[in-house]
Structure formats: C-alpha cells, structure tokens
Amino acid sequence: FIMHCYAYKQNDNQASLNYLKVAIETDSIALAYLRLGIVYGYGLGVDVKWSHAMDCYKRAEQLGCNEVYRYIGGVMTSLSRI
C-alpha cells in the first residue's frame, strides 16, 4: 500500500493501480479498497467503471472505512446526471 502512495505522488497511475491490486489481494486493507474505488470512479489511468468503484467502496465499508461514504455520495450524484 505504501508503494501505491509513492506511485500516486509520482503521477504513475498504472503502477499505483498495480500496487493497490496487490494490497487488496494480500492484506485486504480498507484504504486500498477505498483508493481503488476512487481510481475506477474517477478514471485515474483506467476507464471509469462505476460498478467496480461501488464494489470497492462496499468492501472498504465492510472493513470499517467510514471515509467511503463521501465517495459513494459522489458516485450517486454522478449517476443521477447521466
């Protein structure tokens, strides 16, 4: 997860995404799920995929990440504009 943070600061979206995937596969880190949802929700280096974003947000919430509610609201607002 720390390597994701470094890659994100370097604007290396692909490396950031890869590190997030490793973090959720190996450790189930709530913030990794939140950040992965942000990647898919905002299209950071990938196509925007609302369903993937919501799946990640849901898992982050299950792991106790309360910050996720702010992002779920953003997805719902964006979907209502479509």
Side-chain angles (χ1 to χ4, degrees), residues 30-44 48-76 78-79:
L31 285 177
Y33 279 100
L34 172 64
R35 295 236 181 148
L36 191 57
I38 293 168
V39 166
Y40 286 118
Y42 289 90
L44 303 175
V48 172
K49 295 180 181 173
W50 300 113
S51 62
H52 288 325
M54 290 302 290
D55 289 343
C56 292
Y57 292 153
K58 183 178 181 179
R59 183 67 179 131
E61 189 271 334
Q62 290 170 343
L63 292 170
C65 181
N66 292 326
E67 186 179 354
V68 74
Y69 295 112
R70 181 172 68 188
Y71 293 97
I72 291 173
V75 169
M76 300 309 287
S78 295
L79 288 174

Side-chain angles (χ1 to χ4, degrees), residues 14-31:
Q14 190 59 49
S16 172
L17 176 63
N18 291 337
Y19 286 124
L20 282 174
K21 288 179 178 180
V22 169
I24 65 172
E25 290 171 3
T26 58
D27 297 320
S28 289
I29 299 170
L31 285 177

